[in-house]
Amino acid sequence: MDKPDREQRHRHRMQRKKEVVDKAIARADKEQGLLLILTGNGKGKSSSAFGMVARALGHGMQAGVAQFIKGRSDTGEEAFFRRQDGVTWHVLGEGFTWETQNLARDIETAQRGWAIVRAMLQDPSLHLVVLDELTYPLKFGWLDLTTILNDLKNRPPMQHVVITGRAAPEALCEAADTVTEMQDSKHAFRAGITAQKGIDL
Amino acid sequence: MDKPDREQRHRHRMQRKKEVVDKAIARADKEQGLLLILTGNGKGKSSSAFGMVARALGHGMQAGVAQFIKGRSDTGEEAFFRRQDGVTWHVLGEGFTWETQNLARDIETAQRGWAIVRAMLQDPSLHLVVLDELTYPLKFGWLDLTTILNDLKNRPPMQHVVITGRAAPEALCEAADTVTEMQDSKHAFRAGITAQKGIDL
């Protein structure tokens, strides 16, 4: 096959593909606040949520972030976003439950945290709300799933919410518009590499 | 079981768990530049890479981003990160190949782009390099995989590289330290919802 032929076939194939893609895009014309779940054991759930915060701020939108569980305050994301306009940042956890070793305090911390989240879910000036690692307090039973689903459902119609964490409950995924399961095909940690600044924290 | 009992059992269980987790963390003590691949059909690959850029900047690190394919220049991530210190941003693509419909130009654009990437992969002052949607020019054969693997291998030892895009080639995954396959369990686009600012762009 000579070169002009290859070029022409490529062009025809791409013209057909463009028609298919354009039609699919034309069909998707609804605008609404989305509920996204980023779950699974793979690396990239929280960082993806923070990337969406960056996108939102780039469009001049307002974002709110609540980090459950994570007790440390030396993460790159927190240092970075705290100095940005347009984003409010809450660290609601005191570390993983095997660090605190105090069940009553864990429950109290989580519930105090949810009261802060609820206020964000009632604030139409927030275009994006990130609930980072929310699945853990749910899994441990520190927060009531029905209450949370209800608060999510009653949020402003154009508000996006992104929830991260392993093992998202079935009912939460059912309520979501987009669910990504991040599969851990390979992880540097298992090869003895410690959490890296800029990558894992 | 009364309450003090429950508390005590929880504390014991969490003490044991903490020992296991602490040991695993102690074993992972290596520091090195990581190669991460974020692939699969699910939502969250590029946003995760941008979240890592935010983390890196939060630690005072320098980052470089190259976006292949994406021709549009109205994305939130670009608007946002272009106004940050510590990050250089390159848009190397002219849109998907079914948009350009010109094979020779696609190849030329990709190869010109790789020359820019190679310079980043030789620059030890860059702590993090993001190659967004690199898998597409690889898949279409516009870039040579062997050349790319070689350039990645010869980068500065502490430089992290994050590559995103569907269908990452096997050999690229083999060379990587961390691979996440983002599975698309549910996607708002299929329910007729268009790409949303702050979420998808």
Side-chain angles (χ1 to χ4, degrees):
Chain A
M1 189 166 71
D2 62 6
K3 204 166 165 257
D5 252 23
R6 194 187 164 210
E7 287 280 349
Q8 203 175 17
R9 277 177 37 143
H10 175 81
R11 199 159 44 242
H12 284 160
R13 216 165 49 233
M14 291 306 129
Q15 273 166 0
R16 280 200 306 275
K17 173 134 193 176
K18 180 170 162 56
E19 281 164 26
V20 173
V21 172
D22 285 351
K23 263 188 207 158
I25 291 172
R27 268 197 306 272
D29 60 353
K30 276 186 275 180
E31 303 265 354
Q32 69 174 63
L34 299 178
L35 176 59
L36 292 96
I37 314 287
L38 305 171
T39 191
N41 296 338
K43 194 252 171 314
K45 299 181 289 294
S46 296
S47 51
S48 179
F50 303 139
M52 289 185 246
V53 172
R55 279 183 169 154
L57 297 179
H59 289 294
M61 299 159 82
Q62 302 283 317
V65 178
Q67 290 192 288
F68 286 85
I69 302 293
K70 214 161 263 176
R72 61 192 304 167
S73 57
D74 60 345
T75 61
E77 65 263 20
E78 190 182 353
F80 179 72
F81 283 113
R82 278 210 193 268
R83 59 181 195 236
Q84 304 295 327
D85 290 329
V87 57
T88 50
W89 198 277
H90 303 276
V91 175
L92 302 176
E94 297 187 320
F96 279 97
T97 187
W98 54 86
E99 294 291 347
T100 65
Q101 299 180 12
N102 183 325
L103 183 60
R105 206 177 75 190
D106 287 343
I107 292 175
E108 206 187 289
T109 304
Q111 296 197 342
R112 221 172 30 231
W114 190 257
I116 293 170
V117 170
R118 179 176 288 147
M120 296 202 287
L121 295 177
Q122 291 172 348
D123 179 356
S125 77
L126 285 178
H127 306 99
L128 170 63
V129 174
V130 170
L131 307 178
D132 186 35
E133 311 207 21
L134 175 65
T135 60
Y136 303 99
L138 282 174
K139 183 185 161 192
F140 300 139
W142 304 342
L143 294 174
D144 172 51
L145 183 56
T146 312
T147 308
I148 276 148
L149 287 172
N150 220 34
D151 289 342
L152 286 169
K153 199 174 155 189
N154 294 324
R155 75 189 195 277
M158 290 308 294
Q159 186 182 70
H160 302 302
V161 176
V162 181
I163 294 173
T164 78
R166 295 181 180 208
E170 189 63 31
L172 193 62
C173 293
E174 273 167 30
D177 301 289
T178 294
V179 179
T180 306
E181 168 97 19
M182 308 216 173
Q183 283 204 320
D184 179 14
S185 303
K186 200 178 196 181
H187 202 298
F189 184 73
R190 285 198 298 277
I193 299 165
T194 185
Q196 297 291 299
K197 281 186 186 173
I199 298 295
D200 303 300
L201 68 153
Chain B
M1 190 165 69
D2 62 8
K3 205 169 164 250
D5 252 22
R6 193 186 167 212
E7 287 281 349
Q8 201 175 17
R9 276 178 38 142
H10 175 81
R11 199 159 45 242
H12 284 161
R13 219 167 44 236
M14 290 305 129
Q15 274 165 359
R16 279 199 307 273
K17 174 135 192 174
K18 180 170 162 55
E19 282 163 27
V20 173
V21 171
D22 286 351
K23 264 188 206 156
I25 291 173
R27 269 197 305 273
D29 59 354
K30 277 186 273 181
E31 302 265 354
Q32 69 174 65
L34 298 178
L35 176 59
L36 291 96
I37 314 287
L38 305 171
T39 191
N41 297 338
K43 194 251 172 314
K45 299 181 288 296
S46 296
S47 51
S48 179
F50 303 140
M52 289 185 245
V53 172
R55 280 184 168 153
L57 296 179
H59 289 294
M61 298 159 83
Q62 303 284 316
V65 177
Q67 291 192 287
F68 287 85
I69 303 292
K70 211 162 266 178
R72 61 193 304 169
S73 57
D74 60 345
T75 61
E77 64 263 20
E78 189 182 354
F80 179 72
F81 283 112
R82 278 211 193 268
R83 58 181 196 238
Q84 303 296 326
D85 290 328
V87 58
T88 50
W89 198 276
H90 303 276
V91 175
L92 301 176
E94 296 188 322
F96 280 97
T97 189
W98 54 87
E99 293 291 344
T100 65
Q101 299 179 14
N102 183 324
L103 183 59
R105 206 177 74 191
D106 287 343
I107 293 175
E108 205 187 289
T109 304
Q111 296 197 341
R112 220 173 29 231
W114 189 256
I116 293 169
V117 170
R118 179 176 288 148
M120 295 202 287
L121 295 177
Q122 291 172 346
D123 179 356
S125 76
L126 286 179
H127 305 98
L128 170 64
V129 173
V130 170
L131 306 178
D132 186 34
E133 311 206 22
L134 175 66
T135 60
Y136 302 99
L138 282 174
K139 183 186 161 191
F140 299 140
W142 304 342
L143 293 175
D144 172 51
L145 183 56
T146 311
T147 308
I148 276 149
L149 288 172
N150 220 33
D151 289 342
L152 287 169
K153 201 174 154 186
N154 294 323
R155 75 189 195 277
M158 289 309 294
Q159 187 182 70
H160 302 302
V161 176
V162 181
I163 295 174
T164 78
R166 293 180 181 210
E170 189 64 31
L172 194 61
C173 294
E174 273 167 30
D177 300 289
T178 295
V179 179
T180 305
E181 167 95 20
M182 308 216 172
Q183 284 205 322
D184 180 13
S185 303
K186 201 177 196 181
H187 202 299
F189 184 73
R190 285 198 297 276
I193 299 166
T194 186
Q196 297 292 300
K197 280 184 187 174
I199 298 294
D200 302 301
L201 67 155

